[in-house]
Amino acid sequence: MSDQTAAGDPTRSEGQTPADVSVDLDAAEPATDERFSPLHDVHVAAGASFTDFAGWQMPVRYSSDLAEHHAVRSAAGLFDLSHMAEIAVVGPDAGAFLDNALAGTLSSIAIGRAKYSLLLSAEGGIVDDLVVYRLDEHDYLVVANASNREAAFSALGARIGDFDVTVDDESDDTALIAIQGPESEGILDELVTRDRLQPDEPLSTLRYYRVLRATFDDSPVLLARTGYTGEDGFELYVDPAVAADLWSALVEAGGPRGLVPAGLASRDTLRLEAGMPLYGHELGLDVRPAQAGLGRVVDTSKPFVGRGGVDPAPDARVLVGLTLEGRRAARAGYPVVTDDGTVVGTVTSGALSPTLGHPVAMAFVDPDVVERGPGLAVDVRGTAIPAAVVSLPFYKRS
């Protein structure tokens, strides 16, 4: 799912090296009160640079975006995602309630599994994209984007109706740490060897989009094999009181394997390369799921809130991947144009890909552009940079 990140540094210019490029990160309306992760002091001690996101002070980078990006692709990166929203849905009708409230069918997933889904408005637009974990027969955990915490909680609460279910916001009682990259399992296994992390089952048996219960120093942990980077990895939901100890233990165990703390800037370039949508860029209330390539997430065989408006207009723009020539990155909002200057789309996310070495972008374009050959470009501050439509994702781990 797409955790949102904060606005990038507008003083950085195009044509810089990948290490210096600041990707477009989603700007959220700041909250009145500044909020801090339970790991804030740990990040300060590690020399992190911070950015404001929806009132949260979150680490955007520790060293360089490029170094942190490459560490995730080659070894492992450690992310603080404690600003995300965790909503418990519990009760005899929990599955049926979620089937009605969300676009997917959640009642059919097995205990210990997770599913990506969408929370739609009554008109069919995307309120948020979510990951839903089934923890027990009548016990689900819904994880929403940070800046959509109130919108998601409010929308779910308004849909309870006659369902025998409770919906509780547990965000303030939950810290979330993600470890992502090919060395992730080995690093967690090192904590198992040290008797600090004790999963109910061996980590090797935990497949993608599965979750199991564990303890860390006798404190409960939900351990999920999920992530938002295009790499193998895990997300650990823990009590905020033990988050700093868990973070330090992972840094110690992972250091010899190349693990580094990583900020939200590198997380954004990682998800972009993996073709994963970001709320506020590729997703929003004005976007229907099929436009963003998420038609597969919607189960049209059942009724749900937003079902009547889920189909986009025939001429609605659709999301595509673009590769650009040269090294100048396309940014969100830049026009996609034909060779005669006609605007046929708009870039939603773009960066000079650290892994691939050339610029990549996602954009909403007119439907007839999808099959177009030569003759497309992105208007980068008055210069038409040749671009080609490509299939997503840009990067897929081997």
Side-chain angles (χ1 to χ4, degrees):
M1 98 182 220
S2 55
D3 73 304
Q4 296 175 307
T5 46
D9 183 351
T11 65
R12 299 195 180 194
S13 62
E14 317 296 338
Q16 294 175 307
T17 65
D20 295 327
V21 168
S22 177
V23 294
D24 283 316
L25 301 173
D26 184 50
E29 194 68 30
T32 302
D33 299 320
E34 195 171 56
R35 305 192 68 186
F36 298 93
S37 159
L39 292 163
H40 184 77
D41 290 345
V42 174
H43 303 320
V44 171
S49 299
F50 292 88
T51 187
D52 181 275
F53 173 70
W56 288 82
Q57 286 295 306
M58 297 301 295
V60 68
R61 64 180 60 83
Y62 297 83
S63 56
S64 78
D65 305 350
L66 180 62
E68 293 165 20
H69 181 110
H70 284 312
V72 174
R73 289 281 182 251
S74 63
L78 195 60
F79 298 88
D80 178 10
L81 305 178
S82 297
H83 59 318
M84 298 288 284
E86 291 84 19
I87 302 169
V89 178
V90 181
D93 293 340
F97 163 74
L98 289 171
D99 287 349
N100 178 71
L102 305 181
T105 299
L106 288 307
S107 61
S108 63
I109 63 174
I111 295 170
R113 296 198 177 189
K115 189 170 187 175
Y116 178 80
S117 195
L118 297 171
L119 176 66
L120 303 182
S121 69
E123 296 74 29
I126 301 173
V127 175
D128 202 10
D129 64 328
L130 316 159
V131 173
V132 181
Y133 300 95
R134 189 170 192 175
L135 306 181
D136 211 330
E137 184 177 1
H138 306 306
D139 185 356
Y140 292 78
L141 177 66
V142 177
V143 181
N145 287 299
S147 69
N148 287 337
R149 172 179 172 178
E150 294 301 328
F153 180 61
S154 176
L156 289 172
R159 298 174 188 186
I160 292 176
D162 294 330
F163 289 105
D164 186 0
V165 67
T166 60
V167 177
D168 293 318
D169 186 348
E170 298 184 342
S171 307
D172 292 338
D173 299 320
T174 309
L176 175 55
I177 296 172
I179 179 170
Q180 300 283 297
E183 293 289 337
S184 298
E185 183 179 320
I187 293 168
L188 289 179
D189 271 329
E190 180 63 27
L191 294 189
V192 174
T193 300
R194 298 179 185 185
D195 290 329
R196 300 202 67 185
L197 181 67
Q198 297 178 324
D200 286 353
E201 302 173 17
L203 294 178
S204 60
T205 67
L206 186 64
R207 299 175 61 190
Y208 190 53
Y209 260 61
R210 307 290 197 275
V211 62
L212 57 78
R213 297 185 186 273
T215 59
F216 172 75
D217 291 347
D218 297 324
S219 182
V221 177
L222 281 179
L223 180 59
R225 198 159 203 156
T226 48
Y228 189 54
T229 63
E231 295 295 339
D232 187 20
F234 301 82
E235 295 179 317
L236 295 89
Y237 298 84
V238 300
D239 187 320
V242 302
D245 287 341
L246 176 57
W247 181 278
S248 297
L250 288 167
V251 168
E252 180 185 359
R257 292 176 175 263
L259 176 141
V260 302
L264 297 181
S266 63
R267 188 172 174 83
D268 197 60
T269 51
L270 290 159
R271 71 92 193 169
L272 174 58
E273 290 181 346
M276 295 178 173
L278 174 65
Y279 198 93
H281 284 247
E282 289 76 40
L283 307 178
L285 286 171
D286 59 342
V287 177
R288 300 299 181 265
Q291 289 180 260
L294 297 176
R296 67 188 184 282
V297 177
V298 179
D299 183 355
T300 56
S301 69
K302 69 176 180 79
F304 57 87
V305 177
R307 173 66 183 89
V310 75
D311 296 324
D315 60 348
R317 286 180 168 176
V318 294
L319 189 68
V320 299
L322 298 174
T323 57
L324 282 70
E325 296 182 4
R327 296 181 65 80
R328 299 183 68 185
R331 303 299 187 194
Y334 286 6
V336 179
V337 299
T338 61
D339 50 12
D340 64 0
T342 302
V343 175
V344 293
T346 304
V347 172
T348 54
S349 298
L352 178 55
S353 166
T355 303
L356 305 175
H358 58 74
V360 298
M362 289 193 281
F364 277 108
V365 300
D366 294 342
D368 61 346
V369 173
V370 176
E371 304 299 328
R372 190 183 181 94
L376 281 182
V378 175
D379 184 342
V380 179
R381 297 184 180 179
T383 300
I385 306 296
V389 175
V390 298
S391 298
L392 293 170
F394 303 105
Y395 164 86
K396 188 173 183 179
R397 72 177 186 266
S398 56

